[in-house]
Amino acid sequence: MTTYESKTADEVGEYFDDRSWLFGLSGFNLHIGYFDDEKPDTDPKERHTEVMIEAAELGAGSRLLDVGCGFGRPAVAAAKTTGAQVLGINVSAEQVRQGQKLAEEAGVSELVSFEQADGMALPYPDGSFDAVWASEAIMYMSDRPKALREIERVLVPGGRFVLSDYAERENLSAEQRTALKEGFTVEALPTIEGYRGLLLDAGLEITRFEDATAHLHRSAARIPEVLDEKYAYIAERGGKEFADEFKEMLSKVGVLEGEVLGYVIAVGRKAAEPRA
């Protein structure tokens, strides 16, 4: 079986800490867009968050764990929309700090909190949460089966797990794997069907499984426009050499997202009764 290099949780945290200012290019909303033609006036990134909230079946008093919470925008949106208690975790100390600031500014700090924690070793008791979600977070885990077993463990019986993440659709060339590593810090991703197996192996019943690759392609089509619009800002902050290198790297990522990679949105439900 072929294995691929992956970073430790601490290394991933340092990577995102060092690049936090770059994520302002996407409005600190790190996930791809969900292009719902029935809601054309809703920003696709915000619609993606809405899809996650709907799938998690949250309500006032629900307890949600956001694994790999980014800068906290989806967590804050979930609390504001549903009244749920939300805990966002991240290996990036800077993103945790920014999430706390966002929750305070949004007036939901009594509902939303953030902690630095490793998704592969969740520091919470069994059955702590009614729902867990992970948006583009499992892809960074060096032990993805362990991360999903941890998620299943902290869910209450009957609790929901919502996944949205990148996937491989075809065999990548060596050059494409290099671009994947440069752009995402990982050398390999599960296939779309591979995610199905990971969820089942973790003991979750799959209630929704969507090949959302079309949304990834539409998001990727926006990358050149964003690069052109933000180039001057990147050059001012990081220097022209860095801006040129970043533009070249992101252009390669755009090709991966637009032509090679896939995307999956899935919901798994923990068994209502303990497994024998």
Side-chain angles (χ1 to χ4, degrees), residues 88-111:
I89 63 167
N90 206 309
V91 292
S92 165
E94 175 60 21
Q95 291 186 14
V96 166
R97 187 186 71 80
Q98 292 278 5
Q100 292 168 339
K101 180 181 178 182
L102 178 64
E104 291 169 3
E105 292 174 348
V108 292
S109 54
E110 76 284 0
L111 291 176

Side-chain angles (χ1 to χ4, degrees), residues 40-100:
D41 296 329
T42 301
D43 178 272
K45 286 181 177 287
E46 294 179 3
R47 182 59 187 140
H48 187 138
T49 298
E50 290 178 355
V51 168
M52 299 282 285
I53 293 171
E54 292 161 4
E57 301 178 22
L58 302 172
S62 296
R63 298 162 297 168
L64 169 68
L65 177 66
D66 182 350
V67 176
C69 60
F71 292 90
R73 289 191 179 278
V76 167
K80 291 179 70 173
T81 302
T82 68
Q85 293 279 344
V86 186
L87 173 59
I89 63 167
N90 206 309
V91 292
S92 165
E94 175 60 21
Q95 291 186 14
V96 166
R97 187 186 71 80
Q98 292 278 5
Q100 292 168 339

